[in-house]
Amino acid sequence: MEKIDNKKIAMSLLLQCAWMWERCTRNPNEGEFRLTDVVQGLTSRNRTNTKPGYTLVDMGFCKHWEYFADGIDGMNNFDYVKREVSLVFNDFNCSYKLTDIFSVAKAFCQANACQSLMNKTVFGYKDGERYCRLPEEMSSTSATRKKAVVKRVSRPKAIVPPTLADRLREALLRQLAA
């Protein structure tokens, strides 16, 4: 039985939060927000008075769900129809609705001593562009502890969907490779 690494799970959840923030949320106020602020904008009774303002999550805003699981550790299954995600790390597994990812990530980080990761994560909205800065835990081999590097995850300003010719080309290449 292997030890469960809570930081890996927390980073996986925060990466999913970053994806959802950049592609599937809308809010009126500009600025940089913590995960707690975003959750308050989603669930608080006084959502309009929170830092991000009334925050709306709609999976219909994103057009490229085929790229969702790319680079996210532990994601075992993503069901777009049910809008559910299954996360598996060794003996740890959980399933949740993707629209609840912000609350799930906050609850996990608070319950498993990963609040420093949660507090270092920044969700931003400025000049019509959404971005997220995630903390990246560095492994330190020396006795001195290194500072965490902040990794910026942002979407390009204009996402150009693949053309029919590009999709056909990809399908033919996959068929030839098989």
Side-chain angles (χ1 to χ4, degrees), residues 7-175:
K7 289 186 179 183
K8 278 181 134 179
I9 298 168
M11 285 304 294
S12 179
L13 292 169
L14 290 171
L15 244 156
Q16 293 172 52
C17 287
W19 174 275
M20 291 294 287
W21 174 257
E22 293 174 0
R23 292 164 182 84
C24 301
T25 59
R26 299 290 182 264
N27 68 295
N29 299 339
E30 290 190 352
E32 291 189 341
F33 317 107
R34 304 280 178 224
L35 182 60
T36 305
D37 300 330
V38 174
V39 171
Q40 284 178 348
L42 289 166
T43 60
S44 175
R45 212 187 284 174
N46 298 321
R47 296 179 213 185
T48 54
N49 296 333
T50 62
K51 287 183 182 179
Y54 183 84
T55 305
L56 175 69
V57 175
D58 186 353
M59 294 189 45
F61 292 153
C62 181
K63 305 296 183 225
H64 301 284
W65 284 104
E66 62 270 14
Y67 303 113
F68 175 63
D70 292 351
I72 299 178
D73 289 338
M75 190 174 297
N76 188 28
N77 187 21
F78 169 60
D79 186 350
Y80 178 76
V81 176
K82 293 181 181 177
R83 295 183 158 107
E84 287 185 356
V85 174
S86 295
L87 204 60
V88 176
F89 283 93
N90 299 333
D91 293 335
F92 174 85
N93 58 17
C94 67
S95 295
Y96 47 88
K97 295 276 188 191
L98 190 56
T99 53
D100 297 333
I101 186 60
F102 295 102
S103 299
V104 170
K106 179 184 174 190
F108 181 86
C109 289
Q110 288 177 334
N112 294 290
C114 298
Q115 284 186 317
S116 64
L117 291 175
M118 179 180 80
N119 292 333
K120 290 178 186 175
T121 303
V122 176
F123 299 93
Y125 176 54
K126 187 171 184 175
D127 298 329
E129 182 180 343
R130 297 184 167 285
Y131 60 91
C132 184
R133 287 192 313 262
L134 296 171
E136 185 176 313
E137 289 296 308
M138 296 178 65
S139 60
S140 177
T141 55
S142 64
T144 61
R145 189 172 174 181
K146 298 177 184 176
K147 288 187 176 180
V149 175
V150 177
K151 177 180 174 185
R152 181 181 170 108
V153 178
S154 66
R155 76 178 160 144
K157 289 204 181 229
I159 296 177
V160 179
T163 64
L164 180 60
D166 291 336
R167 289 186 288 174
L168 286 171
R169 188 176 304 116
E170 286 180 30
L172 287 172
L173 289 173
R174 273 187 264 142
Q175 200 172 31

